[in-house]
Structures are given as C-alpha cells and as structure tokens.
Amino acid sequence: MNSLGQQQKYAPLSIALHWITVIMMLAIYATIELHEIIPRENPLRGAMEDWHIFLGLCMLLLGAYRLSVNLRLQPPGILPRPPQWQMRLTSLMKIYLYILMITMPIVGWIFVSAEGEAVKLFFIPMPGIATVSESLAGIAEEAHEIFGVSAYLFIAVHALAALHHHYLVKDDTLKRMLPDFISRS
Ligand code: HEM
Ligand code: HEM
C-alpha cells in the first residue's frame, strides 16, 4: 500500500508480458522435452523441434520488448520492505532471467546456423547468423544445453521465492505481479 492506501503494482503491460513469458517458457521447454522422447521415425518429433525454434524466436522478440518496457518503468516497492541483501539477490535474478530470454534464442540460432541448416519461422527461412563450422556448432550446442538445463533451477528458485514471500513472509511481492482479477479475489 502507498500513503493513499492503494496497492502498488507493476503496470498492466508488465504484468501481461510477465505471464505471457511464463506460458511461452513452459511451451518452449515442453516442446524440446517431447522432442527428446518421441521416437525418431515419428514426424511429430521434427514438428516439436520446429515449434521449439518458432517459440524460441518469438521469445527473443518478446524478451527484448519486455526489457525495453521495463527499463522505462520503475518497479513498485515491496511492503513490508525485504532486507537489502534480498533486494540485491532479486535484482541479480531479474538480470539472469533477461539474459535467459534474450541470449538463449540467439545461441540456439547460432547453433543451427553453424550446422549449415536454415532456421525457419515455420515456412519462412531466416538468415543464418553464423558461418558453417563444426566446432562453433559444438560450442553453441553445449552452451545452449548447459544454460537451458541450468535455467530449470533458476526459474524454480524464482517462482518458489515468490511463493515463499506470499505464503510465509506474507508481503505483497506476488500480488504486485498478479492481474487485478486474481489479486482482488
Ligand atoms: C528462450 C528460448 C530457448 C530456450 C529456453 C531453449 C532451451 C532448450 C533446451 C533446454 C534444450 C534441450 C537441451 C538438451 O537437453 O540437449 C534445447 C534444445 C534445442 N534448441 Fe533450444 N531453447 C530456446 C530457443 C531456441 C532457438 C531460438 C533455437 C533455434 C533457432 C533453438 C534450437 C534448439 C535445438 C536445435 C535444440 C536441440 C539440440 C539437440 O538436439 O542437441 N532453441 N533448447
Ligand atoms: C510460475 C512461475 C513464476 C512466478 C510465480 C513468478 C513471479 C514473479 C514475481 C512475484 C515477480 C515480482 C518480483 C519482484 O518485483 O521482486 C516477478 C518478476 C519477474 N519475473 Fe517472474 N515468475 C515466474 C516465472 C518467470 C519466468 C519463467 C520468467 C522468465 C524467464 C520470469 C521473469 C521475471 C522477470 C524478468 C521479473 C522482473 C520484473 C520484470 O522485469 O517484469 N518469471 N516474477
């Protein structure tokens, strides 16, 4: 609450972009996990990779747009205010999540380009962003995998921290990021 007794919240655009990101990230991870388990001879396997790439490229656009929006808007304060060390940790986590949203798609694009394959937004071929090179493809693949798998942990910590603040600390960290129709009910 501010001095006028009003709840301080993220702007509606920031809230919408945040939850669209969550849904897209779920889909990006679900498609690649399904790709891993579907047998090679099944055409759905290739379709899952196409969807992964399509959603990953959309994530790049969304992440860059979200960054530009949120750099212009001041995040609302948390009440009661958490200790300074927690605020610093939260800022580092936010930076990490932006790096994830923007760097992962670029590394994936470098990987596919270095393998000599065209990245397609379904039927529309996108330009390659790296020269064809087996060693570069290997490095990019490794980086994409390590960063992608470690992100499971960071996203889980981020989500659990929000729930911890809501249910145990009982501050307004999560309410600030919820749409009005949920936070009022
Ligand atoms: C935020 C966006 C993205 C995330 C979080 C993400 C995450 C992942 C993860 C976790 C894997 C599985 C790694 C493994 O266990 O081997 C993977 C695989 C893959 N990703 Fe992405 N990715 C993203 C965007 C992209 C984009 C934009 C492209 C291409 C332009 C791409 C291309 C690929 C390919 C081709 C694989 C399969 C690699 C293999 O078969 O070894 N990814 N991605
Ligand atoms: C169910 C999962 C998630 C929950 C419950 C959640 C919750 C929250 C909450 C409560 C905040 C406000 C924190 C604060 O201001 O101190 C926040 C901010 C943020 N979250 Fe999440 N989040 C989730 C998933 C994600 C995912 C998957 C991403 C991106 C990969 C993400 C990226 C961010 C970013 C960048 C911020 C900083 C505010 C902004 O720039 O919009 N979150 N999240």
Side-chain angles (χ1 to χ4, degrees):
M1 307 266 171
N2 64 13
S3 56
L4 298 172
Q6 292 160 327
Q7 181 95 49
Q8 289 195 351
K9 300 197 62 159
Y10 276 93
L13 180 60
S14 303
I15 295 175
L17 291 173
H18 180 270
W19 295 107
I20 293 170
T21 305
V22 174
I23 293 166
M24 278 185 55
M25 277 290 180
L26 274 174
I28 288 171
Y29 276 102
T31 46
I32 207 64
E33 291 300 338
L34 285 169
H35 163 84
E36 306 284 322
I37 56 173
I38 293 172
R40 282 186 191 279
E41 56 282 5
N42 189 331
L44 256 185
R45 185 181 161 97
M48 285 300 131
E49 190 172 311
D50 288 347
W51 274 102
H52 176 78
I53 292 176
F54 172 72
L55 292 167
L57 291 176
C58 292
M59 192 67 245
L60 174 59
L61 296 177
L62 185 70
Y65 176 61
R66 189 172 162 184
L67 183 61
S68 76
V69 167
N70 287 337
L71 282 177
R72 279 183 275 125
L73 302 172
Q74 185 72 9
I78 299 174
L79 285 176
R81 193 178 157 76
Q84 195 59 25
W85 67 266
Q86 272 187 28
M87 299 302 288
R88 288 214 187 95
L89 221 58
T90 305
S91 301
L92 287 179
M93 179 60 94
K94 287 179 189 173
I95 294 170
Y96 172 87
L97 291 169
Y98 275 111
I99 293 175
L100 172 72
M101 288 183 272
I102 294 168
T103 314
M104 272 300 278
I106 295 174
V107 175
W109 195 347
I110 292 174
F111 162 46
V112 179
S113 306
E115 275 201 318
E117 286 172 28
V119 168
K120 285 194 198 130
L121 256 178
F122 278 90
F123 298 109
I124 311 157
M126 306 293 287
I129 58 167
T131 47
V132 178
S133 148
E134 210 177 298
S135 58
L136 178 60
I139 294 168
E141 181 181 14
E142 193 88 343
H144 196 71
E145 182 178 342
I146 293 170
F147 200 15
V149 173
S150 62
Y152 274 120
L153 178 72
F154 285 91
I155 294 174
V157 169
H158 171 69
L160 287 174
L163 296 176
H164 170 81
H165 277 271
H166 188 70
Y167 289 108
L168 297 175
V169 184
K170 296 188 191 298
D171 63 19
D172 65 354
T173 303
L174 182 59
K175 278 192 188 149
R176 290 147 61 248
M177 194 43 109
L178 292 177
D180 277 344
F181 68 90
I182 296 180
S183 59
R184 280 207 194 116
S185 58

